[in-house]
Amino acid sequence: DKSLILINGQRAANEADAAGLGTAMALDRINMNEVERIEIVRGPSSALYGSEAMGGVINIITRLPARQGVSAGYEVSSEDRSNWWRFDTGRHGKLAASLDMRFNKIKRDMDSDDVQSNRYGTAQDYHFQADYYISDRQTLSLDTGYYSQHLKSDTGESKLKYMPVMMGSVQLHGYAQIAGGGTADYKQKNAGLIYRGHSDRNDWQIKTYYSQFDWNSSTQNQVIDAVNGNESPMDRAYAAYVRAKYNTFDFNRNKHKLYAAEARDSLKIGEGQRLTFGAEYMRDKVSGTNLGANGDQAGSITVNGVVKAASKKEIDTYAAYIQDEITHGKWFIVPAFRYDHHGTFGSHGSPKLGITYNVRNNLRIKANYGAGFKAPSVYQLYYYLYQEMGQNNWVTLIGNPDLKPEESKSYDIGFEMESGKAYGSLTWFDSRVKNLIESVQISGLDKTYKYMNIGRARMKGVENTLGYRFNDRWQMKVMSAWLDAKNRETNAPLPKRSRLSQVWQISYDDGKDNGYSIMLWEDVQYHYRAENGRVLSYGLFNGAVTKKINKNSRMYASLQNIGNKKDDDADLNGRFWLVGWEHQF
């Protein structure tokens, strides 16, 4: 939740909650088959991208309309199956266009000891892009997308199970048969218009875009039978109490709208200097039951006789930024600064400085400093969620309008080197966060959480990469990260982080149009601290192979977590397999 996800340089509306769910779900909804490349900016990047980018930026860039043709693919895995299509007109005169479509179906899954199945169902994704070439140096692009997903869950064939219940201070014993499930519907609409141009000295763009995300959910449980084994007043009391408690219906209706406009120009000042500057406006608007009555224009929504409070909230943000890129001899220096005015938290400045010194052609030393600023989201400020998450598992999550923005200062220094067939990098980093926002359980209340500023946190460590190219076909690489992440006020380790993370990878590619490529890798996590405080270590062995039938067609397969490790505390769900085929007509 500290990283900003962009698609073609644009934000997309999503669930946007502080637990990072919005970020994770946004990645899951991306059609990877239309992706051309992924750009990653590491560390505080608020100077150019705004407050959401305190941890970094992931910019996912889709393929431009360029080559006329049709491509298609099919994929099936242990969890779902998908097929996709791409139609590309190529350039005809001044116009080029493309249409990407993907259709997905998640399989139903339910272990014998589960009370409810996973969420399963169908999804469809459409993306249309049209480029109009005004001249050789100017382009007008229309970018639109639509995503829809319908999921459901159920209890399957319900059975009578022993279920003691407390009625006041009296415990009643008996057996209950409960059936139920839920539905979840997600819809996303995106549209953007971008004007790009360049001259001998300038490279500019002006864009405006809109994104809307709707998510609706409902859950319903029905008591089929409830008995305590004898015909008595106590039996009737047990049955009546179980029906009153577990015959439940709940729903949520929410909408997130995002409007944005940005103008940017990169100006070549001299032979070794380029200045980038711009301005941005964004309006974030959220409405629905997940805000309860905490927002503006409070009202209510009624479904199946159940009434829930609902309200609206919107926040405007204005920003201006500037970045200079200076090349002087062996030095490359990049200072940057961003000014943000947030509708709730006022004005903030975010500086950044990056320095690279090229010792020689194969050795570079890098150092960076960045100050980050992350305003609380609408939900962190005004949330009121009371929802059933799993059968009869009710969770309450409360926003906090008194939250302060997170502020960070980060430093890193390292080097990159190539020597013959070997290459590597080593980087030390130190990031300190003030007013870190976490969801904290309220003392004395079961499954009730509230967003709080927990104080100060520090994340420091070392990252390194070591690689060796044996020849044109074989390559080996090891990537490691040693991390010390703690709450500076309590000295307690921060959860959901590993003391040591490593990936050992070996790959082979014969380079032929009808050849093979193979990758094997081991993912090692040492001293991973789960959210409940449990500490564990594990390693996952994985493999993937691709068979290139010809230059236009390929088949591929992947097997991950081959050892079938399962652990809820580490989000390990067992073995995962995948096979697929792709062809360019």
Side-chain angles (χ1 to χ4, degrees):
D1 66 327
K2 304 293 188 292
S3 298
L4 173 63
I5 307 297
L6 299 175
I7 302 175
N8 295 326
Q10 301 175 20
R11 294 170 174 83
N14 56 51
E15 295 90 331
D17 78 340
L21 177 64
T23 299
M25 297 292 283
L27 289 170
D28 284 344
R29 295 183 186 113
I30 292 169
N31 179 4
M32 289 301 297
N33 305 98
E34 63 170 330
V35 172
E36 179 181 286
R37 68 184 188 275
I38 300 175
E39 296 177 345
I40 296 177
V41 182
R42 306 184 64 173
S45 304
S46 298
L48 285 186
Y49 295 99
S51 68
E52 298 100 319
M54 193 172 78
V57 179
I58 301 173
N59 187 19
I60 298 167
I61 300 172
T62 59
R63 289 186 283 172
L64 294 174
R67 176 187 173 188
Q68 183 175 356
V70 177
S71 58
Y74 179 79
E75 189 174 279
V76 60
S77 78
S78 52
E79 297 178 355
D80 62 355
R81 62 176 182 266
S82 303
N83 67 87
W84 62 90
W85 299 81
R86 178 179 173 87
F87 302 90
D88 198 327
T89 65
R91 182 169 173 178
H92 292 274
K94 293 189 174 184
L95 189 65
S98 64
L99 173 64
D100 287 275
M101 301 183 295
R102 182 180 178 91
F103 306 95
N104 172 264
K105 185 173 184 179
I106 299 175
K107 302 175 183 177
R108 182 184 181 278
D109 182 46
M110 184 174 176
D111 292 336
S112 58
D113 56 346
D114 288 340
V115 297
Q116 202 165 52
S117 73
N118 66 321
R119 284 187 170 182
Y120 63 97
T122 59
Q124 50 187 324
D125 180 271
Y126 304 90
H127 179 222
F128 174 78
Q129 181 171 337
D131 293 337
Y132 180 74
Y133 294 85
I134 301 171
S135 67
D136 291 340
R137 295 190 171 191
Q138 300 178 69
T139 307
L140 186 65
S141 298
L142 174 67
D143 194 330
T144 64
Y146 175 78
Y147 176 90
S148 175
Q149 185 178 47
H150 176 72
L151 301 177
K152 58 184 178 180
S153 60
D154 58 67
T155 55
E157 184 180 351
S158 61
K159 298 178 181 179
L160 272 173
K161 295 181 179 179
Y162 175 65
M163 182 181 291
V165 295
M166 293 297 298
M167 186 173 67
S169 60
V170 179
Q171 185 174 51
L172 303 180
H173 299 270
Y175 294 81
Q177 180 182 356
I178 302 176
T183 62
D185 290 281
Y186 305 94
K187 290 185 179 179
Q188 186 176 64
K189 303 172 186 176
N190 300 317
L193 193 63
I194 308 171
Y195 169 62
R196 298 183 179 92
H198 67 275
S199 64
D200 293 338
R201 294 186 61 197
N202 294 78
D203 190 347
W204 68 86
Q205 70 172 16
I206 301 172
K207 65 182 177 184
T208 180
Y209 61 92
Y210 167 78
S211 181
Q212 177 178 320
F213 186 77
D214 301 350
W215 69 108
N216 304 319
S217 64
S218 64
T219 59
Q220 184 165 10
N221 293 318
Q222 181 181 4
V223 178
I224 306 300
D225 197 5
V227 295
N228 80 338
N230 58 79
E231 292 293 336
S232 66
M234 189 61 71
D235 179 70
R236 291 191 291 273
Y238 175 84
Y241 186 74
V242 168
R243 292 183 189 279
K245 183 175 182 179
Y246 294 113
N247 273 333
T248 59
F249 175 80
D250 184 45
F251 73 93
N252 277 291
R253 301 287 186 268
N254 297 283
K255 190 184 299 289
H256 182 193
K257 295 181 179 180
L258 189 153
Y259 311 83
E262 182 181 6
R264 175 184 296 194
D265 184 33
S266 290
L267 172 64
K268 186 178 180 181
I269 297 176
E271 192 62 34
Q273 187 174 8
R274 177 161 61 178
L275 195 67
T276 299
F277 53 92
E280 183 180 19
Y281 164 76
M282 185 172 65
R283 169 170 289 183
D284 211 18
K285 186 175 182 179
V286 178
S287 62
T289 56
N290 280 7
L291 292 180
N294 294 335
D296 302 324
Q297 302 177 37
S300 63
I301 299 175
T302 303
V303 177
N304 286 355
V306 176
V307 181
K308 298 191 75 169
S311 56
K312 303 177 181 180
K313 200 70 185 181
E314 61 181 56
I315 296 176
D316 291 343
T317 305
Y318 303 85
Y321 54 85
I322 186 168
Q323 175 178 283
D324 202 1
E325 298 172 68
I326 304 167
T327 303
H328 181 74
K330 294 184 176 182
W331 294 90
F332 180 58
I333 304 171
V334 184
F337 183 81
R338 182 184 181 98
Y339 169 83
D340 277 287
H341 181 77
H342 190 276
T344 302
F345 296 100
S347 301
H348 294 266
S350 303
K352 184 173 182 179
L353 176 65
I355 299 175
T356 300
Y357 179 70
N358 292 283
V359 180
R360 51 179 184 266
N361 289 338
N362 66 338
L363 177 61
R364 297 166 299 282
I365 298 175
K366 295 185 174 184
N368 295 281
Y369 162 78
F373 155 74
K374 185 177 187 300
S377 69
V378 172
Y379 277 124
Q380 289 173 319
L381 292 167
Y382 305 108
Y383 219 67
Y384 183 78
L385 174 68
Y386 177 64
Q387 184 172 330
E388 188 178 22
M389 299 182 179
Q391 194 179 50
N392 304 321
N393 179 34
W394 292 85
V395 176
T396 303
L397 186 57
I398 304 170
N400 183 357
D402 296 324
L403 287 175
K404 299 176 182 179
E406 296 177 326
E407 300 177 27
S408 73
K409 287 183 171 59
S410 296
Y411 312 82
D412 66 71
I413 184 168
F415 72 88
E416 300 172 350
M417 183 177 183
E418 300 87 29
S419 178
K421 296 180 178 181
Y423 59 92
S425 66
L426 181 67
T427 302
W428 168 85
F429 61 89
D430 190 347
S431 182
R432 305 181 186 194
V433 183
K434 180 182 177 182
N435 297 324
L436 184 70
I437 299 174
E438 296 282 345
S439 59
V440 178
Q441 184 170 353
I442 298 177
S443 178
L445 296 177
D446 184 37
K447 298 178 182 177
T448 299
Y449 302 84
K450 185 176 182 177
Y451 291 117
M452 305 286 287
N453 292 113
I454 67 170
R456 299 176 298 159
R458 185 177 186 182
M459 290 150 280
K460 60 180 180 178
V462 177
E463 294 180 325
N464 84 299
T465 299
L466 293 174
Y468 189 81
R469 301 180 182 90
F470 297 97
N471 51 45
D472 292 340
R473 298 185 176 188
W474 288 95
Q475 180 179 177
M476 183 176 180
K477 183 161 59 175
V478 181
M479 295 161 284
S480 306
W482 289 267
L483 177 66
D484 181 21
K486 291 182 178 179
N487 182 329
R488 293 175 64 193
E489 296 185 349
T490 64
N491 207 37
L494 296 177
K496 293 190 173 183
R497 293 165 174 88
S498 296
R499 181 69 57 86
L500 171 63
S501 301
Q502 281 190 319
V503 176
W504 295 73
Q505 174 185 304
I506 186 167
S507 58
Y508 168 85
D509 192 333
D510 59 17
K512 297 179 181 179
D513 287 341
N514 61 347
Y516 287 90
S517 62
I518 301 171
M519 182 181 291
L520 301 173
W521 71 99
E522 175 86 2
D523 180 4
V524 178
Q525 301 294 325
Y526 171 73
H527 209 275
Y528 174 85
R529 183 171 291 273
E531 197 165 18
N532 60 10
R534 179 184 167 217
V535 177
L536 63 153
S537 301
Y538 61 87
L540 306 178
F541 186 63
N542 317 275
V545 59
T546 297
K547 166 59 178 174
K548 293 163 279 187
I549 301 170
N550 52 50
K551 64 180 182 180
N552 293 324
S553 189
R554 68 186 184 104
M555 299 180 67
Y556 56 92
S558 177
L559 185 59
Q560 299 177 36
N561 191 357
I562 294 175
N564 198 31
K565 185 171 181 61
K566 297 181 180 180
D567 195 313
D568 290 340
D569 289 341
D571 294 327
L572 298 177
N573 300 315
R575 189 180 296 116
F576 174 84
W577 58 264
L578 175 151
V579 294
W581 163 85
E582 188 174 40
H583 182 74
Q584 174 76 42
F585 294 95

